Amino acid sequence: MINDVIDHLAGIRPGSRLDKLRDLRPAAREHAQRGFDALFTPDEEGEVPLVERDAVAAFVAGLHRDAVVAGFYADRLADLAPGLLKAVEAEIEAGATAGPYGVYPAPLAAESDEGLRYQVREPGNLGVRLTAAFEHAHLLVFRPREASGQALEALAAAGWGPTGVVTLSQLVAFLAFQVRVVGGLRLLNAEVAA
């Protein structure tokens, strides 16, 4: 059991200078952990089973290219569904890109960059729900301004209800937050060590 997943992923030891620094913002620390707990250790899984949560988390963390965070979520998925991990890793490779992308109308047209339009390569390996979830997650990570009602309709057509769509979106947003916080803390940790 991990008491503070951000500390764990950032390599922060109890009593260290960085641990004390994080203690200066107890509410931020507490709410980040509560966010993790709500998404990954809920009292009830509801519309989104843990295996789907961990598959999406492994995919999204892999897209962010943080080896430690990606490994953490891949390990969680391997504990629940070892056979699914290989398919997720293949989709991470297929979806790897830099972004952000999007095609925008004036006055933002100058910021347009077509980039990769990801589609799951092997839908049979993921199933209908995870295929739609991965495509939507990739959209949110690399093309957030293109998120639309049509994208939500694709999720609904794949069996995602309103609560499931909200949970999926929260997962993607939480992972983006977590990867950035962990990266920043690791950088501070390296500076403190130097």
Side-chain angles (χ1 to χ4, degrees):
M1 184 77 169
I2 297 170
N3 291 332
D4 189 310
V5 73
I6 287 177
D7 282 355
H8 173 74
L9 295 172
I12 298 171
R13 291 183 316 273
S16 68
R17 290 174 68 187
L18 209 48
D19 181 47
K20 292 175 183 171
L21 180 66
R22 286 200 73 210
D23 278 342
L24 295 175
R25 302 279 312 272
R29 187 176 221 170
E30 176 187 348
H31 293 302
Q33 185 61 37
R34 281 188 181 185
F36 173 83
D37 292 341
L39 291 168
F40 295 102
T41 60
D43 293 334
E44 294 181 21
E45 294 178 33
E47 290 183 29
V48 187
L50 289 178
V51 69
E52 287 183 343
R53 293 169 191 247
D54 284 324
V56 169
F59 177 68
V60 171
L63 293 177
H64 282 286
R65 299 182 185 165
D66 184 302
V68 173
V69 177
F72 175 79
Y73 288 105
D75 289 347
R76 286 178 55 90
L77 178 60
D79 287 345
L80 291 175
L84 184 55
L85 182 57
K86 186 174 180 178
V88 172
E89 289 171 342
E91 292 304 327
I92 292 167
E93 186 176 322
T97 190
Y101 300 119
V103 177
Y104 316 113
L108 300 175
E111 295 179 28
S112 293
D113 186 350
E114 182 59 38
L116 173 68
R117 290 202 178 267
Y118 169 78
Q119 287 187 309
V120 168
R121 300 303 185 258
E122 297 290 337
N125 293 339
L126 296 178
V128 174
R129 279 178 55 92
L130 278 178
T131 293
F134 278 31
E135 290 174 357
H136 189 74
H138 197 278
L139 174 79
L140 294 178
V141 171
F142 293 110
R143 300 176 169 281
R145 287 197 270 183
E146 290 185 8
S148 65
Q150 184 179 3
L152 296 177
E153 288 171 12
L155 286 172
W160 288 86
T163 301
V165 169
V166 169
T167 300
L168 175 61
S169 299
Q170 288 173 328
L171 281 166
V172 175
F174 178 80
L175 288 160
F177 156 78
Q178 187 179 61
V179 165
R180 283 161 181 77
V181 168
V182 166
L185 289 170
R186 273 199 222 114
L187 185 61
L188 284 173
N189 210 10
E191 288 178 6
V192 167

